[in-house]
Amino acid sequence: MLGQMMETPLLVTSVLERARRFFPRSEIVTRSAAGELSRLSYADFYKRTARLAGALARLGVVRGDRVATLCWNHHRHLEAYFGIPSMGAVLHTLNLRLHPSELSFIARSAEDKVVIVDRSLLPLYQKFAADVPSIRHVIVVPDDGATPPDLLDYETLLAAERDDFAWPPLDERSAAGICFTSGTTGNPKGVVYSHRSTVLHTMVSCMTDTLALSEGDVVMPVVPMFHANAWGLPYSAVAVGARVVMPGPRLDAESLTTLMATEKVTLAAGVPTIWLGILALLDAAPKRFDLSSIRSMVIGGSAAPPSMIEGFQSRHKLHVTHAWGMTETSPLGSLARIKRSLDAADPAAQLGLRSTQGYAVTLIDQRHVADDGRVLPWDGSTMGELEVRGPFVASGYLGGAGADRFTQDGWFKTGDVVTIDAEGYIRITDRSKDVIKSGGEWISSVALENALMSHPAVLEAAVFAGRHPKWDERPLAAIVLKPGHSATKAELTAHLESRVAKFWLPDDYLFMAQIPRTSTGKFLKSKLRDDHGDMLMGR
Ligand code: ADP
């Protein structure tokens, strides 16, 4: 017997229409490169989104065409997020921190037809555009000044269109967006989201036990809109009618903290390197900012050190929500929420749970497996590769790349080495490419970093494998000290001795002004390995 319910397709268009009908007075606040704030009501946002769709159709964009964006976080980028998929085209977010050669590879692979680019990023665009033969039009967003006269201007195009685009009926399985993995561990690969996966991810993100988004929230995605869809926040915030605060290109701790305070942000999201800077700023001047409106700072992308989670909580009464995800998982995969049955645990145990990667969000399944494919027990100590599956997990990559990441029985291999405890809490010990293999034993770079970052003088720590003549690999630690603080190698070793096994102790420390970062703000360990990986060989 079949159910007798409507098979209404799950479309991004429905999220947009709902925003128009119910929340016309909600706002999108954008801060420009110059630091000025502009405010756009959802009513006007909707009209502009319809106009964008009209303009793209007039330029010849048809169903399935790829329309790329090369933009910071601002309201026009949000218009693209909704207008492009709702008209049946495919939003392809380009990562503005990549090298032009990577961008041309990515834009060529996606066969982008139109590119919407911030004026401030035109010099970058011009470095790769000629290598992408599929591009027919470039539309310039005048983010920091007027569009050059020989190029299409975003605002001029919108001004010529109507407010009421006739959104086409679409198959919910049709592509809505493409985002490439940022290539931290290999060539970037394209993940193709569908309308259905996007809507399901949006609903799950909003759930109370996920991010608990509501109309009363003020949501600030610090995570760039080119990094795994800004973790879905552009869709989930608009779905509930929240106020959205777009920080534009100014992502330094001072600018972000000021914006959170003045706009009374309730939920902000970004990678740990962003939050480490904000914590240092707050520690230096605890009374300077009023952040009492914040109910959750979502941290993910790489491991949030327990010392940071605890520091925000105990010194500034700010709650961190630690989440795990990947471009391939839309991206929210798991979240470190404390279950009611564990609520009574002592503060140290609670911190321990909150610094895990949590357990899978609704609709996502998790398991971890041994090298030979054996599914491993949830005992909190057996390490294996995390695998996930669910309706917003990729089933393949654009063009058939990376087929070895998908198992015969329908799981996606994440490349993350984890343990899972009896309650389902995942603890990432490493990415498989970063784990340090010393004389046949595995050393967790994440655990060492967390221990180092609990030292009061350490701002940032990245632990990576140095090649070693006897042990194959030994840990090396790159350290950035807090301004005005000092610590010697011997002091750091003494700090670690009480926290990790003796054979885990780094063989050496490198004090740096900054640790190299990936295009999405994570520590770039491959560069550390390339530059310093041989330093133990002659010893
Ligand atoms: P890239 O693979 O290029 O870094 P992604 O942003 O998709 O691009 O990265 C996903 C990876 O980031 C995960 O596989 C995991 O290794 C890491 N990651 C994400 N969130 C966390 C987290 N909360 N803790 C530890 N690692 C994380």
Side-chain angles (χ1 to χ4, degrees):
M1 182 182 183
L2 291 177
Q4 294 186 323
M5 303 304 284
M6 295 184 187
E7 295 198 342
T8 312
L10 305 178
L11 300 178
V12 169
T13 327
S14 338
V15 177
L16 177 64
E17 282 295 342
R18 182 164 193 274
R20 173 183 71 87
R21 274 195 213 109
F22 294 108
F23 314 115
R25 289 182 304 281
S26 289
E27 271 184 345
I28 299 146
V29 183
T30 296
R31 188 178 51 196
S32 71
E36 287 147 12
L37 294 182
S38 65
R39 290 169 199 281
L40 183 72
S41 68
Y42 272 30
D44 288 337
F45 161 73
Y46 179 88
K47 290 177 193 159
R48 290 173 56 83
T49 299
R51 284 168 179 259
L52 173 63
L56 291 172
R58 198 177 298 277
L59 291 174
V61 171
V62 296
R63 217 171 272 202
D65 279 348
R66 266 73 80 198
V67 178
T69 55
L70 186 64
C71 297
W72 293 103
N73 290 14
H74 48 54
H75 72 83
R76 293 169 175 123
H77 206 172
L78 195 64
E79 289 154 16
Y81 254 67
F82 282 89
I84 293 166
S86 298
M87 73 176 292
V90 185
L91 166 77
H92 175 202
T93 49
L94 289 168
N95 179 340
L96 56 86
R97 297 214 181 92
L98 293 180
H99 189 269
S101 62
E102 292 171 298
L103 284 166
S104 68
F105 166 78
I106 288 172
R108 263 201 320 271
S109 313
E111 297 175 61
D112 294 332
K113 186 169 178 180
V114 175
V115 183
I116 299 176
V117 52
D118 282 355
R119 203 197 85 119
S120 57
L121 298 168
L122 261 183
L124 172 61
Y125 172 74
Q126 280 153 351
K127 283 194 190 130
F128 70 87
D131 298 332
V132 189
S134 54
I135 298 179
R136 298 275 173 279
H137 301 284
V138 52
I139 300 174
V140 179
V141 170
D143 66 330
D144 72 341
T147 299
D150 54 327
L151 295 176
L152 291 176
D153 173 60
Y154 188 92
E155 291 302 326
T156 311
L157 289 179
L158 261 60
E161 299 298 328
R162 293 162 52 103
D163 289 343
D164 59 346
F165 189 81
W167 305 112
L170 297 169
D171 184 326
E172 65 174 13
R173 294 166 305 171
S174 50
I178 299 180
C179 183
F180 277 68
T181 59
S182 45
T184 308
T185 55
N187 260 343
K189 292 183 276 294
V191 177
V192 186
Y193 309 103
S194 62
H195 279 262
R196 174 185 155 81
S197 72
T198 305
V199 171
L200 290 172
H201 180 264
T202 301
M203 292 174 59
V204 169
S205 306
C206 294
M207 288 174 66
T208 312
D209 284 345
T210 315
L211 300 180
L213 288 181
S214 92
E215 192 258 350
D217 271 312
V218 183
V219 177
M220 182 163 93
V222 178
V223 47
M225 292 166 84
F226 54 75
H227 181 200
N229 310 307
W231 304 351
L233 288 171
Y235 292 120
S236 49
V238 171
V240 297
R243 183 136 69 93
V244 183
V245 179
M246 293 293 197
R250 287 199 189 185
L251 299 178
D252 60 286
E254 174 88 30
S255 305
L256 290 172
T257 313
T258 306
L259 192 59
M260 287 194 288
T262 53
E263 288 303 313
K264 304 219 176 324
V265 166
T266 62
L267 180 141
V271 292
T273 46
I274 292 273
W275 295 109
L276 284 170
I278 291 177
L279 180 59
L281 180 71
L282 296 179
D283 283 344
K287 298 212 176 345
R288 217 180 119 204
F289 301 94
D290 175 6
L291 295 180
S292 54
S293 55
I294 293 189
R295 65 167 180 81
S296 171
M297 299 187 318
V298 182
I299 305 188
S302 42
S307 54
M308 175 168 70
I309 299 177
E310 202 272 331
F312 273 122
Q313 188 77 52
S314 65
R315 300 198 291 279
H316 307 288
K317 299 198 170 39
L318 291 169
H319 182 85
V320 167
T321 304
H322 188 203
W324 169 89
M326 305 181 71
T327 307
E328 292 89 336
T329 61
S330 291
L332 214 49
S334 68
L335 188 127
R337 186 190 156 266
I338 298 191
K339 298 180 195 175
R340 182 167 36 176
S341 55
L342 303 170
D343 214 16
D346 65 66
Q350 293 224 6
L351 178 62
L353 285 177
R354 289 181 51 209
S355 45
T356 68
Q357 282 65 27
Y359 52 92
V361 297
T362 305
L363 301 184
I364 298 292
D365 241 359
Q366 66 181 52
R367 70 178 188 186
H368 67 321
V369 299
D371 282 347
D372 60 8
R374 231 172 347 112
V375 176
L376 295 168
W378 291 12
D379 58 10
S381 63
T382 311
M383 280 196 243
E385 182 177 0
L386 178 65
E387 296 185 349
V388 291
R389 66 178 178 191
F392 43 90
V393 177
S395 59
Y397 291 109
L398 185 67
D404 57 337
R405 302 284 297 274
F406 302 89
T407 70
Q408 293 292 335
D409 58 345
W411 293 75
F412 168 67
K413 295 154 77 105
T414 65
D416 287 333
V417 180
V418 303
T419 60
I420 304 181
D421 75 8
E423 294 278 351
Y425 285 84
I426 300 164
R427 187 179 291 279
I428 294 191
T429 60
D430 250 310
R431 298 188 87 157
S432 47
K433 297 216 163 117
D434 292 336
V435 73
I436 299 157
K437 292 172 186 139
S438 171
E441 299 282 351
W442 284 18
I443 298 175
S444 161
S445 67
V446 174
L448 271 174
E449 288 159 4
N450 286 343
L452 282 164
M453 285 194 263
S454 70
H455 187 285
V458 175
L459 180 64
E460 295 178 350
V463 173
F464 61 101
R467 278 173 285 283
H468 192 279
K470 178 166 177 207
W471 303 109
D472 286 341
E473 291 179 352
R474 289 294 303 153
L476 292 170
I479 303 284
V480 179
L481 293 173
K482 290 181 185 161
H485 287 68
S486 65
T488 62
K489 294 179 184 181
E491 281 164 3
L492 293 177
T493 297
H495 177 77
L496 289 179
E497 269 169 344
S498 60
R499 292 171 168 82
V500 302
K502 193 155 190 311
F503 82 97
W504 282 33
L505 294 174
D507 278 27
D508 211 339
Y509 301 84
L510 295 128
F511 293 94
M512 306 187 166
Q514 207 197 10
I515 293 170
R517 285 166 165 50
T518 69
S519 62
T520 51
K522 309 181 188 189
F523 296 142
L524 186 53
K525 296 195 186 177
S526 57
K527 172 121 178 65
L528 290 171
R529 282 194 293 265
D530 290 350
D531 292 352
H532 308 284
D534 281 334
M535 62 185 275
L536 301 172
M537 291 305 274
R539 292 191 184 176

